[in-house]
Amino acid sequence: MKFVVNQTTLSKALSLVGKGAGISSTVPVLNSVKISTIGADIELQTTDLNIAVKHIIPGNVQEEGSVLVSLRVLLSIIKTLPDAPITFQTTDEGIQLSCSNSTFSILTLNIEEFPPFPEYEIQSSVELSTQLLNQMVERVYKVTSNDVARPILSGILFTADNNTLRLVAVDTHRLAICDTNTQTSSLAGEFSIVVPGKAFHDALTLSEEDEKATLAASENHIIFTFAHTTFISRKIEGTFPNYKQLLPQSSKTTITLPLEELSEALRRVSSIMAQNPSVHFKLDLDEKLLTLTTANKETGKAQENLPISGNGESMTFTLNHRYVQEGISPLLSDNQTKVSLELQDATQPAIFKAFGEINYLYLLMPIRM
């Protein structure tokens, strides 16, 4: 095998397919990259047995072939090289890399031990904007759970039907929902799947900003297809919780909060807290004021007042400030300025809502004191 490829192109491609490699695996072939020539192109593959990534880049192919090499070793070399053509050529002992004044000889692995790329038969699929998907995934991704006893909670429920797209994530303390109207003309009927949260997040980092992506499902896999990249993840076993039953039918109190001011106030009053994430919210609708307080026996107390608007009943309740920040931070990234908060009483969930091109609901259970 012999080919020539640009250093910048290859470095970016290796970083991209690294999302599929088992970097911490003790099995060498799972933290390696398979490099093959496909006609005039070069194909890179990685897998950790749960994820598989395939990416194609242009190059000058002079001799066809395939090789398996350590991803870590190859990437560490490529990153040190100048932005210039790199020549790859197989030798009796491995592969030789030449770039400008540098030459490297790298040992290869047994390519026969590399797992084959998953085969699949698509059952349903939809084509969507990756920019839109990115915005939606960022709003729900942090709610996914790492509880190995309930792997279904590590997933994001994705539904597309009648030009409406919805993503849902839930754990034992929180629920996040976002939906939007978008063109789903490529879809016949309803499409509903549970996508592993990390895989969903990682797959979208592989796309260009304005790129379209096809999200598909087979019997055992979730498949993301971009212009030059295929990302495959195993499906999660289990049934996604009936999240709709968690949503209150009504609220007694609704207020509107300035988003950036709320985030900054939470950051300040929580600065004296160590491991305790509790922040007390005192809502005074007569004074149109929300008071945030924290107390730490070892460091002291903090308090901050925020002006609000709204109606309903005054009340006091306690929330985890880290969870609140994780819920509202994606809104700040999308340049939204306000968020509404709906409450039933101090023992019921607090529900943050924001409306726009993407509608967003974030339900957070209070801390019982």
Side-chain angles (χ1 to χ4, degrees), residues 208-221:
E208 301 293 337
E209 184 175 349
D210 299 324
E211 194 175 1
K212 291 283 188 179
T214 298
L215 174 57
S218 68
E219 183 178 358
N220 298 312
H221 297 97

Side-chain angles (χ1 to χ4, degrees), residues 188-202:
E190 182 181 10
F191 183 25
S192 179
I193 53 173
V194 180
V195 183
K198 186 177 185 304
F200 211 153
H201 183 268
D202 286 352

Side-chain angles (χ1 to χ4, degrees), residues 215-260:
L215 174 57
S218 68
E219 183 178 358
N220 298 312
H221 297 97
I222 309 293
I223 305 103
F224 294 84
T225 306
F226 309 99
H228 305 291
T229 310
T230 303
F231 181 103
I232 298 179
S233 170
R234 288 186 181 273
K235 279 185 172 179
I236 305 175
E237 295 185 1
T239 301
F240 198 80
N242 181 8
Y243 68 91
K244 293 181 180 179
Q245 68 182 7
L246 302 175
L247 301 173
Q249 298 300 310
S250 61
S251 62
K252 290 182 179 178
T253 300
T254 301
I255 62 172
T256 300
L257 294 161
L259 198 54
E260 187 171 358

Side-chain angles (χ1 to χ4, degrees), residues 146-200:
N146 294 320
D147 186 354
V148 294
R150 301 183 67 188
I152 194 67
L153 297 185
S154 69
I156 295 172
L157 176 63
F158 172 99
T159 58
D161 185 31
N162 196 27
N163 293 333
T164 298
L165 182 65
R166 170 170 286 192
L167 272 62
V168 182
V170 62
D171 66 8
T172 54
H173 301 98
R174 302 179 286 174
L175 165 68
I177 305 172
C178 61
D179 54 42
T180 190
N181 293 322
T182 189
Q183 183 59 250
T184 59
S185 57
S186 62
L187 181 65
E190 182 181 10
F191 183 25
S192 179
I193 53 173
V194 180
V195 183
K198 186 177 185 304
F200 211 153

Side-chain angles (χ1 to χ4, degrees), residues 34 79 117 174 269 346:
K34 179 183 177 182
K79 284 183 174 180
F117 200 74
R174 302 179 286 174
V269 299

